[in-house]
Amino acid sequence: MDTDEPGLFDLPESAPEPTPQPSPAQPRPGRNRETWACTVTAEVTIVDAATVTAALTRYLKDTVVVDAFSGEVIEDPASEDAGPDPDLPPLPQLAWLIWPTRGQEELLEENAFRVLDVESTVTTETYDRGTITWTVTVKLTDVQLFRRLATQAQPADAVLIASSLAVAWQRAADSFAPLRSIPGISWRPVSVDIAHVPARKR
């Protein structure tokens, strides 16, 4: 779903929003085995609450939740580990519908990095409007491949891609792809922050 095509309803046309760029900082080219995180933020408005809820219903129907320790399927809907409460308001439902790694399939399939963690949060401003943020934390496994995929996608930015992994990540993947697949919403990009995560001192 495009930012100016919210789905089921036509909204007044507006000038296209520029894609947010990584926060200005000293460029880091990235090295294998380094840990990096991409945090994306967008403003979201519920356009069709019934469509969002229907998407959550499909999620609950198609998803099997397994206990991490016992390996058993969690079937009790009252359990906090069983998944989202189907009676949640539409805006909080988005935290369950967003898939943070969507749009980065090629990087994953080609083994440019390995995902360590994903998380998402929704901050409600009004009943139908708020901010959604998600973070993907990865360990780099093949930086040269990462740069090559980014350059193939945006050859005009080859110099920037070579000197900045943050630029390479944005050129190789659509940072806002996770929102494009969620029906019943409109959204506006706010920020993309891609940064190296220093190793913890032992």
Side-chain angles (χ1 to χ4, degrees), residues 81-134:
D81 297 324
D85 181 349
D87 294 325
L88 282 172
L91 196 63
Q93 291 175 5
L94 298 182
W96 292 94
L97 293 175
I98 198 164
W99 193 251
T101 58
R102 188 178 298 276
Q104 303 180 39
E105 290 83 359
E106 185 174 18
L107 292 168
L108 287 166
E109 292 170 0
E110 297 291 339
N111 199 33
F113 56 53
R114 177 168 55 90
V115 175
L116 300 179
D117 187 39
V118 295
E119 58 182 25
S120 61
T121 58
V122 176
T123 302
T124 301
E125 297 174 7
T126 64
Y127 76 97
D128 66 345
R129 183 174 301 174
T131 302
I132 186 167
T133 300
W134 63 94

Side-chain angles (χ1 to χ4, degrees), residues 40-54:
V40 183
T41 301
E43 293 178 357
V44 180
T45 300
I46 302 296
V47 176
D48 183 356
T51 298
V52 174
T53 300

Side-chain angles (χ1 to χ4, degrees), residues 151 176 185:
T151 302
F176 292 92
I185 66 171

